[in-house]
Amino acid sequence: MRETSRTLKVTPAGRRYMGFLAIFNTGDAERIREYISEYYADEALGENTVDEMLAWHLHLYEQTGGLKIHNVYLSEEHYVIIVVMDRLHEGMHMDKMKVSEDFPHKITEYLHVPAEL
C-alpha cells in the first residue's frame, strides 16, 4: 500500500506548486495576474490570454474560497499530483502541475478537477 503524505518534496515542481498555492489563496487579482504572466509558459496558456486565465483562477477562487493540501499523491522533480480540499465546502479536488526542466521552471500544465475518491 502506498504511503500518503501532506508534504511536497523540495523539487522544482514542489516549489512552484507551493508558490502558486500561496498566491492563489490570496484571491488578489493583481498578484494572481502577475504570477500567471511570470510563471505560466506559453503552452500552459494555450489559446488563452493572461486575462482569460486570470478570470478562470478568480472564478475558481470564488467557488472554493482557496485550497489546502489534503494529500500529496505524487511528487516528482517536474510533476506533482495533489489532492486538495476547498475551504468553502471541504470538497476534494485534484491538482496536477507540470513545470519545465529549465529554470525558472515555468508551469507547462495545470489541471484542476473534482477528485473522485
Side-chain angles (χ1 to χ4, degrees):
M1 175 166 254
R2 188 183 161 308
E3 196 174 314
T4 61
S5 173
R6 289 189 179 180
T7 306
L8 285 164
K9 291 180 184 175
V10 180
T11 64
R15 285 187 187 112
R16 181 63 59 224
Y17 185 80
M18 290 306 295
F20 162 81
L21 195 60
I23 294 297
F24 175 79
N25 281 339
T26 67
D28 182 304
E30 191 52 40
R31 290 183 70 193
I32 296 170
R33 175 186 281 112
E34 288 173 11
Y35 190 88
I36 293 168
S37 296
E38 187 170 351
Y39 293 115
Y40 269 66
D42 290 341
E43 64 255 44
L45 293 173
E47 294 182 14
N48 299 304
T49 66
V50 170
D51 285 337
E52 289 168 334
M53 282 296 269
L54 172 63
W56 180 80
H57 281 79
L58 291 176
H59 175 74
L60 180 59
Y61 181 80
E62 289 172 12
Q63 297 297 310
T64 64
L67 303 169
K68 57 186 174 181
I69 294 176
H70 177 72
N71 183 22
V72 175
Y73 183 77
L74 179 71
S75 183
E76 296 184 344
E77 198 70 14
H78 300 103
Y79 187 65
V80 294
I81 300 174
I82 301 158
V83 177
V84 293
M85 181 183 291
D86 75 65
R87 292 182 174 171
L88 286 181
H89 310 288
E90 297 188 343
M92 298 294 202
H93 308 267
M94 183 176 60
D95 278 358
K96 293 181 181 182
M97 182 178 283
K98 185 175 181 182
V99 300
S100 65
E101 292 183 16
D102 298 327
F103 186 82
H105 308 293
K106 290 189 175 193
I107 297 167
T108 57
E109 288 180 33
Y110 175 65
L111 176 68
H112 175 89
V113 296
E116 296 181 19
L117 301 174

